[in-house]
Amino acid sequence: MVPDHDIELNALGHTMSLAEGTTYTVRGPSRSPVVTQQPAGFKNACGRFVDTFRRDESSAGLKNDPSFHDNGGGHSVRGGLSSNESREHHGARYFDLRGATAKTASSLLARELKGRHLQMIAIGGSIGTGLFVASGKALSDGGPASVLLAYLFVGVMLYCTVQALGELAVIFPVAGSFSAFSTRFLDPSWGFAMGWNYALQWIIVLPLEILAGAMTIGYWNAELNKAIFITMFLIVIIVINLFGVKGYGEAEFVFAIIKVTAVIGFILLGIVINIGGTPTEGYIGGKYWQSPGGFHNGFKGFCSVFVTAAFAYAGTELVGLAAAETANPRKSLPTAIKQVFWRISLFYIVSLTLVGLLVPYNDPRLLGGNSVADASASPFVIAIESAGATVLPSIMNGVILVSVISVGNSAVFGSSRTLAALAEQGQAPRILAYVDRRGRPLVAILITSAFGLLAYLADVPGQSDIFNWLLAISGLSTIFTWASTCLAHIRLRQAWAHNNRSLSDMAFRAQGGVIGSYIGLGCNCLILVAQVWISVDPIRKPDTVLSPMDYAQSFFLQCLAIPVVLVFFLGHKLWYQTTIVKIEDMDIDTGRRDFGRLGIIKAQEEEERQAWPQWKRIYRVIC
């Protein structure tokens, strides 16, 4: 078999930088459809197809390579020990930090994503119910001014976070980036909690998005059985992911183009509606900011919008998760990371500003949805309907339908890759680490997809409560993930300085630097505090008295993710007795891609930039 992919790694134990030429390259398995020798009667298309689902034989060779394991003499590393320290475990429980780091770096996942895939994943990869539907509840709770300020606040925080993630992912394009970075630079137990929390988030989002798609069909014909469309959407999502990471990338590329086109079209239409008015009234302007007003429920209403905004932005970080399956992360990832600026400014801030101008927060249709998945409460659809349009609301619902399928597709991708990476690190059942000849984490994909069957609960009485409780399990998952990413970036920079490394050795640096990560970390903590306050003292109608049971239910529906994360974290820590990884003990070499003549490449790029006109220089800074 001729290898066609390089997995470039540093040998464990090396402490010098890439600039000093201490890298070491391991050939990864070919992802071309090479077939092993079969009996003469078995050489047919069906046989070749089945053969692609088998584990690649070369994976055993990689996993038996002593460079990726401990020394084989029964020695291991307890979380927090240096790479040169080991201890006799004699059958006692321990966490092999060095082995976990090496295995995520030597992932057998196919590297087939291109720059255009990453850019579209960054721009429109998670535009779905969070923006199109859940923003209606945010508008109702906080008013248009609260929505604008909260989404802008979370957008700034996310920009800093994604920049930090970009720096980490370009240097270490390893499998399961979020959990791997927390395991490697913070604490193995915290990485375990972050990995499972992130996987659970997407596992639960999958049936919710499928249900949202089935409910969207009801806009045209409410009498149709939802189970029919749940089956169709689930099959489409599974088939896309079974085509591998390239199939996922191509599907997201098409979905993102549709969503981006729709949002731009809505922005243009919204401007026309606002200026030209509706059939029942003339020029709208900013009158809904005056009556009923820009804010609703005061400061509490403002705080209530934060988590809704975080839910809407969730999925942007998938760019970092996809780094391990990108052909050239050094070139593709920085451009995709910078695209977040456009997504925040154009697709969220501008579109939601127009929504606040076109739909008053007291519109009864905003509260008409049966659940967070019900597109009938979408302020985007309401705004278009108010203009008297007949066809456009159906088109917008069609876009929402595409969006929920897209997010469901991302849910399978995000959860399956995270579960596979956890399994590689010994933090999940080993079977989940199964990667077939085409570089697909097959078992993880199938198990994740099986949770989509929960969408069939759509016709069960009380399905809204069921999904609310399921969503509560990981409702704050993105906040924990983003905060951990910022903290991991801060710790990496500290370890980088401790080892006397130059920042010029980094192929990509966060535009906000360490300060940006501190801002991102602080903003995430503020959102978490605001959410706890709202859950303890929820928004309620005047003269409404809540019982102690109502308060308890409100808290756990909003903050159930906090005890879930603590159970994962403390359980793993008590089991393995891990400690915080010290700065001087961090491994900042394993998994780094050898960019070859990085200094020469940078000099050539700088020489090319000198010939650019001024507008292009400015453009390339932000995009």
Side-chain angles (χ1 to χ4, degrees):
M1 175 165 54
V2 180
D4 58 4
H5 290 268
D6 290 339
I7 300 177
E8 298 156 334
L9 310 166
N10 285 287
L12 286 173
H14 287 196
T15 57
M16 301 174 70
S17 71
L18 286 174
E20 295 167 286
T22 60
T23 56
Y24 149 76
T25 300
V26 175
R27 288 286 186 177
S30 172
R31 298 305 176 203
S32 56
V34 179
V35 185
T36 56
Q37 189 67 30
Q38 299 288 349
F42 198 70
K43 289 183 177 180
N44 51 50
C46 181
R48 289 193 297 270
F49 175 74
V50 172
D51 192 67
T52 62
F53 291 92
R54 295 176 180 171
R55 186 190 296 273
D56 199 308
E57 294 175 358
S58 64
S59 63
L62 264 177
K63 297 184 186 306
N64 291 329
D65 191 316
S67 301
F68 300 123
H69 278 74
D70 217 2
N71 56 19
H75 300 286
S76 186
V77 179
R78 183 187 288 267
L81 297 179
S82 71
S83 59
N84 294 323
E85 289 185 77
S86 61
R87 70 180 184 88
E88 296 282 351
H89 60 84
H90 297 298
R93 295 186 295 269
Y94 70 102
F95 182 78
D96 187 356
L97 181 57
R98 289 174 61 194
T101 299
K103 288 174 183 176
T104 56
S106 60
S107 171
L108 295 169
L109 298 173
R111 299 206 324 240
E112 296 180 340
L113 287 178
K114 300 179 181 179
R116 62 185 178 87
H117 298 140
L118 289 184
Q119 290 179 37
M120 281 303 176
I121 290 173
I123 294 176
S126 67
I127 296 178
T129 55
L131 174 63
F132 291 132
V133 181
S135 57
K137 183 180 184 303
L139 180 61
S140 177
D141 288 342
S146 294
V147 169
L148 181 59
L149 292 174
Y151 274 77
L152 185 61
F153 179 88
V154 176
V156 171
M157 177 269 292
L158 185 61
Y159 181 79
C160 295
T161 301
V162 173
Q163 286 285 322
L165 175 62
E167 183 174 307
L168 287 163
V170 172
I171 299 174
F172 305 104
V174 298
S177 57
F178 313 118
S179 62
F181 295 149
S182 294
T183 296
R184 187 170 182 170
F185 301 121
L186 302 178
D187 185 317
S189 295
W190 187 249
F192 172 81
M194 289 299 95
W196 275 103
N197 191 44
Y198 191 75
L200 283 175
Q201 171 201 349
W202 285 116
I203 285 174
I204 292 167
V205 164
L206 174 60
L208 187 67
E209 293 294 330
I210 294 173
L211 173 61
M215 295 180 72
T216 302
I217 295 293
Y219 178 85
W220 294 283
N221 190 339
E223 302 300 323
L224 293 175
N225 191 332
K226 295 184 181 66
I228 299 173
F229 301 99
I230 289 172
T231 303
M232 292 172 55
F233 298 146
L234 186 58
I235 291 175
V236 169
I237 290 171
I238 293 174
V239 169
I240 289 174
N241 279 272
L242 287 180
F243 272 102
V245 68
K246 190 172 183 179
Y248 164 76
E250 294 293 351
E252 284 305 303
F253 183 78
V254 174
F255 291 152
I257 289 177
I258 295 174
K259 291 185 287 185
V260 167
T261 302
V263 172
I264 293 175
F266 174 81
I267 290 173
L268 296 176
L269 178 63
I271 294 173
V272 172
I273 295 174
N274 184 263
I275 296 175
T278 65
T280 57
E281 52 189 316
Y283 172 74
I284 299 175
K287 72 175 185 179
Y288 292 140
W289 281 58
Q290 300 174 0
S291 176
F295 293 94
H296 188 214
N297 294 315
F299 184 68
K300 186 179 293 185
F302 172 67
C303 291
S304 69
V305 181
F306 275 128
V307 173
T308 304
F311 175 70
Y313 283 116
T316 304
E317 72 284 344
L318 284 171
V319 175
L321 192 65
E325 299 176 75
T326 302
N328 189 350
R330 182 197 172 274
K331 181 179 180 181
S332 303
L333 205 56
T335 303
I337 292 297
K338 293 175 184 178
Q339 295 289 343
V340 174
F341 169 82
W342 297 106
R343 179 181 176 187
I344 291 171
S345 61
L346 181 62
F347 302 131
Y348 282 85
I349 304 304
V350 176
S351 62
L352 288 173
T353 299
L354 287 168
V355 164
L357 291 172
L358 299 175
V359 182
Y361 70 72
N362 59 357
D363 191 309
R365 289 172 291 180
L366 291 175
L367 300 177
N370 297 319
S371 69
V372 294
D374 192 348
S376 65
S378 168
F380 288 79
V381 176
I382 293 172
I384 297 174
E385 287 179 340
S386 299
T390 56
V391 178
L392 292 180
S394 293
I395 295 177
M396 196 67 211
N397 270 280
V399 173
I400 293 175
L401 186 61
V402 170
S403 298
V404 298
I405 295 175
S406 171
V407 177
N409 187 37
S410 297
V412 175
F413 175 82
S415 54
S416 63
R417 269 56 179 185
T418 303
L419 288 175
L422 286 170
E424 283 286 359
Q425 297 176 83
Q427 296 175 325
R430 184 65 186 167
I431 187 64
L432 293 173
Y434 184 96
V435 177
D436 65 13
R437 291 171 183 251
R438 293 184 59 186
R440 300 170 296 191
L442 194 59
V443 175
I445 289 175
L446 294 177
I447 290 179
T448 298
S449 301
F451 280 90
L453 298 174
L454 290 173
Y456 286 107
L457 295 173
D459 294 323
V460 173
Q463 57 86 13
S464 178
D465 292 334
I466 295 173
F467 279 105
N468 284 337
W469 280 107
L470 285 174
L471 198 59
I473 295 175
S474 57
L476 295 173
S477 174
T478 50
I479 303 300
F480 284 111
T481 299
W482 295 340
S484 298
T485 298
C486 292
L487 186 56
H489 176 244
I490 293 170
R491 300 265 290 165
L492 170 64
R493 283 292 187 96
Q494 292 173 345
W496 204 264
H498 177 80
N499 287 273
N500 298 317
R501 302 289 178 85
S502 171
L503 293 180
S504 61
D505 289 341
M506 293 182 171
F508 173 75
R509 281 175 283 173
Q511 291 178 331
V514 178
I515 295 177
S517 292
Y518 276 112
I519 293 174
L521 179 61
C523 290
N524 276 290
C525 292
L526 286 176
I527 294 174
L528 188 61
V529 170
Q531 178 65 6
V532 172
W533 175 47
I534 293 300
S535 64
V536 172
D537 188 15
I539 296 175
R540 55 187 183 273
K541 296 179 180 179
D543 302 325
T544 300
V545 179
L546 299 180
S547 66
M549 182 64 70
D550 293 329
Y551 280 107
Q553 180 175 338
S554 171
F555 174 79
F556 284 108
L557 275 174
Q558 302 293 330
C559 297
L560 185 59
I562 296 177
V564 169
V565 168
L566 289 177
V567 167
F568 277 121
F569 172 65
L570 296 177
H572 189 275
K573 181 167 284 291
L574 292 174
W575 186 262
Y576 286 109
Q577 299 290 307
T578 63
T579 59
I580 297 175
V581 183
K582 298 178 181 178
I583 297 295
E584 59 270 20
D585 297 335
M586 288 183 187
D587 179 359
I588 58 172
D589 288 302
T590 301
R592 290 183 64 188
R593 294 272 180 94
D594 184 359
F595 301 116
R597 300 151 63 194
L598 182 59
I600 297 176
I601 294 173
K602 285 189 172 183
Q604 292 174 340
E605 291 175 347
E606 181 59 32
E607 183 179 352
E608 182 183 350
R609 277 193 291 269
Q610 295 300 322
W612 289 350
Q614 188 64 28
W615 69 266
K616 189 173 182 179
R617 295 184 189 182
I618 298 173
Y619 172 78
R620 292 302 294 270
V621 168
I622 62 176
C623 186

